[in-house]
């Protein structure tokens, strides 16, 4: 080590400090995998996972569900499908109405929810997921939206009039509207538009600017693909408008997979005839069709479903537990057979110590 004079600068060194962490002297534990530890672990996982999977499957199968693909429903005013009508350039931004008659073969007991489902729709694309302005969604409006919103930041690049809410997610907001009618009861099925979004999203992530909403948004434009302003997304409930509109909040929570469903409405079970759920019988479903998906070969569905304590119908988790548990049991049996056979054929090896010597 070079000599130093008192008060002189200490020479620099790249050597790490003499600590247990940097010198890799921390105490460590390394498990020794033996038949006595591995085999019980395999059998325990199998014994625990298989019953859990069976319970999950029973819970999923107890959910009643009705699914209908309405992508190519025929218009009420002609023989063409609504998908063909709204896909024409001259009909962009217009609605097409189609009515679907269907029958529920069994009673839907308990709380019933209406979902819309989509396929081949990649909401998990990186640029799509980033295309939003969280400050805007919190009610902090600015004449300069986030750069992540481009090219959906301004309605006109020359005038520089900002869009609120900006970004690709908000611009592609699902816009189909539904009405449901019970032929058996001869009355309209009451649908609720609130309490469909996560409470954390409603209370924390989305806020409206202070004061009158329409006045606050006077210097802003609605997204290009919208046919209604932000303050009129729900004409029946003024508190369900703006950035706190629950349809918008649900849509802004992007899906991880290209096939997904999102909660759209709740059945109002306080109304006569619907206290216990939806009774079996004939129904009609009217769709105000305005959201085109045939350009990217997608499909649209509406789903009526009950729920359980674990959520909606999804047998995947139950099958996953059963398969993992069965594989662990099978591996445990195979390893147990190998262990027993090897012990019988090589029993003398266990008596040989690694430090033994043939010398006297």
């Amino acid at each position: 080590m070079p000599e130093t004079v008192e008060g002189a600068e200490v020479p620099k060194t790249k050597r790490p400090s003499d600590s247990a962490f940097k010198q890799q002297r921390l105490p460590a534990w390394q498990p020794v995998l033996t038949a006595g530890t591995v085999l019980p672990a395999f059998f325990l996982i199998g014994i625990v996972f298989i019953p859990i999977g069976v319970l999950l499957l029973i819970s999923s199968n107890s959910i009643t569900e009705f699914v209908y693909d309405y992508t190519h429903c025929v218009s009420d005013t002609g023989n063409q499908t609504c998908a063909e009508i709204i896909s024409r350039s001259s009909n962009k931004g217009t609605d097409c109405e189609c009515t679907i008659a269907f029958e529920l073969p069994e009673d839907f007991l308990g709380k019933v929810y209406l979902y819309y489902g989509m396929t081949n729709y990649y909401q998990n694309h990186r640029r799509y997921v980033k295309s939003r302005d969280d400050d805007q969604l919190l009610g902090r409006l600015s004449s300069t939206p986030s750069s992540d919103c481009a090219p959906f930041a301004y309605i006109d690049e020359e005038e520089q009039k900002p869009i609120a809410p900006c970004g690709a997610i908000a611009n592609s907001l699902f816009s189909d509207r539904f009405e449901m009618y019970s032929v058996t009861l001869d009355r309209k099925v009451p649908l609720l538009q609130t309490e469909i979004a996560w409470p954390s999203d409603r209370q924390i992530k989305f806020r409206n600017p202070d004061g009158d909403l329409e006045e606050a948004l006077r210097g802003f434009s609605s997204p290009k693909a919208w046919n209604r302003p932000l303050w009129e997304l729900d004409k029946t409930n003024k508190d369900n408008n703006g950035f706190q509109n629950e349809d918008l909040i649900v849509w802004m929570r992007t899906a991880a997979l290209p096939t997904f469903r999102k909660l759209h409405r709740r059945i109002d079970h306080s109304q006569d005839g619907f206290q216990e759920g939806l009774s079996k019988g004939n129904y009609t479903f009217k769709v105000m069709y305005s959201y085109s998906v045939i350009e990217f070969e997608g499909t649209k569905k509406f789903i009526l479903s009950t729920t359980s304590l674990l959520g909606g119908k999804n047998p995947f988790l139950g099958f996953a537990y059963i398969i993992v548990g069965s594989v662990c049991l099978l591996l445990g049996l195979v390893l147990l057979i190998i262990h027993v056979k090897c012990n019988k054929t090589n029993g003398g090896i266990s008596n040989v110590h690694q430090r033994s010597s043939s010398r006297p």
Side-chain angles (χ1 to χ4, degrees):
M1 184 174 180
E3 297 181 358
T4 58
V5 181
E6 186 177 354
E9 184 179 354
V10 178
K12 296 182 179 178
T13 175
K14 294 184 179 180
R15 180 181 178 181
S17 60
D18 190 18
S19 64
F21 177 76
K22 292 187 176 181
Q23 296 298 333
Q24 300 184 12
R25 294 195 301 266
L26 290 173
W29 174 76
Q30 182 177 0
V32 179
L33 300 178
T34 63
T37 57
V38 173
L39 292 178
F42 274 116
F43 287 119
L44 181 63
I45 292 173
I47 292 170
V48 172
F49 273 40
I50 291 177
I52 292 177
V54 171
L55 291 175
L56 290 173
L57 271 182
I58 293 173
S59 175
S60 177
N61 291 333
S62 67
I63 295 171
T64 313
E65 189 174 271
F66 178 83
V67 182
Y68 191 97
D69 188 329
Y70 71 95
T71 309
H72 300 286
C73 68
V74 179
S75 171
D76 292 340
T77 58
N79 296 324
Q80 288 185 309
T81 65
C82 283
E84 293 173 341
I85 293 174
I86 69 170
S87 64
R88 298 174 186 170
S89 58
S90 60
N91 291 296
K92 290 288 185 182
T94 61
D95 288 347
C96 172
E97 295 185 1
C98 63
T99 303
I100 301 160
F102 65 94
E103 180 184 0
L104 293 182
E106 57 183 316
D107 292 332
F108 281 49
L109 301 177
K111 293 183 177 180
V112 184
Y113 299 89
L114 172 63
Y115 299 82
Y116 59 84
M118 308 191 77
T119 63
N120 204 34
Y121 198 117
Y122 290 84
Q123 275 198 315
N124 60 350
H125 192 282
R126 183 179 63 85
R127 288 191 65 187
Y128 183 89
V129 173
K130 287 180 60 181
S131 187
R132 59 190 290 165
D133 187 341
D134 288 319
D135 282 338
Q136 262 192 2
L137 299 175
L138 285 169
R140 298 195 287 263
L141 298 175
S142 171
S143 58
T144 307
S146 170
S147 58
D148 290 334
C149 286
F152 302 99
Y154 299 96
I155 196 69
D156 190 333
E157 292 297 333
E158 294 181 0
E159 295 182 7
Q160 293 287 295
K161 187 176 183 180
I163 294 174
C166 67
I169 309 176
N171 186 72
S172 60
L173 175 67
F174 184 79
S175 57
D176 285 357
R177 289 171 289 154
F178 308 125
E179 289 181 2
M180 191 171 170
Y181 186 83
S182 172
V183 178
T184 305
L185 298 176
D186 192 22
R187 60 171 301 184
K188 189 176 179 180
V189 178
L191 300 176
L192 298 174
Q193 304 183 42
T194 56
E195 296 184 23
I196 59 174
W198 288 22
S200 59
D201 288 349
R202 296 198 310 264
Q203 300 165 11
I204 300 173
K205 294 185 178 181
F206 294 81
R207 282 280 181 269
N208 283 330
D210 296 331
D212 181 70
L213 183 59
E214 184 176 356
E215 184 64 30
L217 294 168
R218 187 171 296 278
F220 296 82
S221 174
S222 298
K224 299 177 182 179
W226 287 21
N227 52 20
R228 285 179 292 172
L230 184 61
W231 58 88
E232 290 184 355
L233 292 179
D234 186 355
K235 295 183 179 180
T236 61
N237 183 1
K238 65 177 183 179
D239 294 327
N240 189 32
N241 278 305
F243 300 112
Q244 291 184 299
N245 175 263
E246 297 202 29
D247 286 331
L248 174 63
I249 295 174
V250 170
W251 183 256
M252 294 297 292
R253 181 171 283 277
T254 53
L257 300 174
T259 299
F260 61 86
R261 63 176 61 179
K262 291 179 182 284
L263 181 58
H264 187 59
R265 295 292 181 264
R266 298 182 298 119
I267 306 297
D268 186 358
H269 295 293
S270 64
Q271 301 292 325
D272 292 337
F274 303 98
Q275 287 92 342
E276 296 181 359
L278 279 180
S279 58
K280 63 180 180 180
N282 296 318
Y283 292 83
T284 59
F285 199 80
K286 188 175 183 179
V287 180
M288 277 63 78
Y289 199 116
S290 62
Y291 199 80
S292 182
V293 296
I294 60 173
E295 288 83 0
F296 53 87
E297 299 180 354
T299 62
K300 297 187 293 185
K301 303 173 183 178
F302 71 82
I303 302 132
L304 292 169
S305 177
T306 59
T307 59
S308 67
L309 292 174
L310 300 174
K313 192 179 186 69
N314 187 1
F316 172 78
L317 194 58
F319 283 123
Y321 269 91
I322 292 175
I323 291 172
V324 171
S326 301
V327 169
C328 286
L329 279 180
L330 180 61
L331 286 176
L333 288 172
V334 171
L335 293 175
L336 179 61
I337 293 171
I338 294 174
H339 175 65
V340 171
K341 284 190 174 183
C342 287
N343 272 353
K344 288 183 178 179
T345 56
N346 302 323
I349 296 178
S350 60
N351 296 324
V352 180
H353 195 275
Q354 62 179 356
R355 292 185 179 180
S356 61
S357 173
S358 59
R359 293 180 297 177

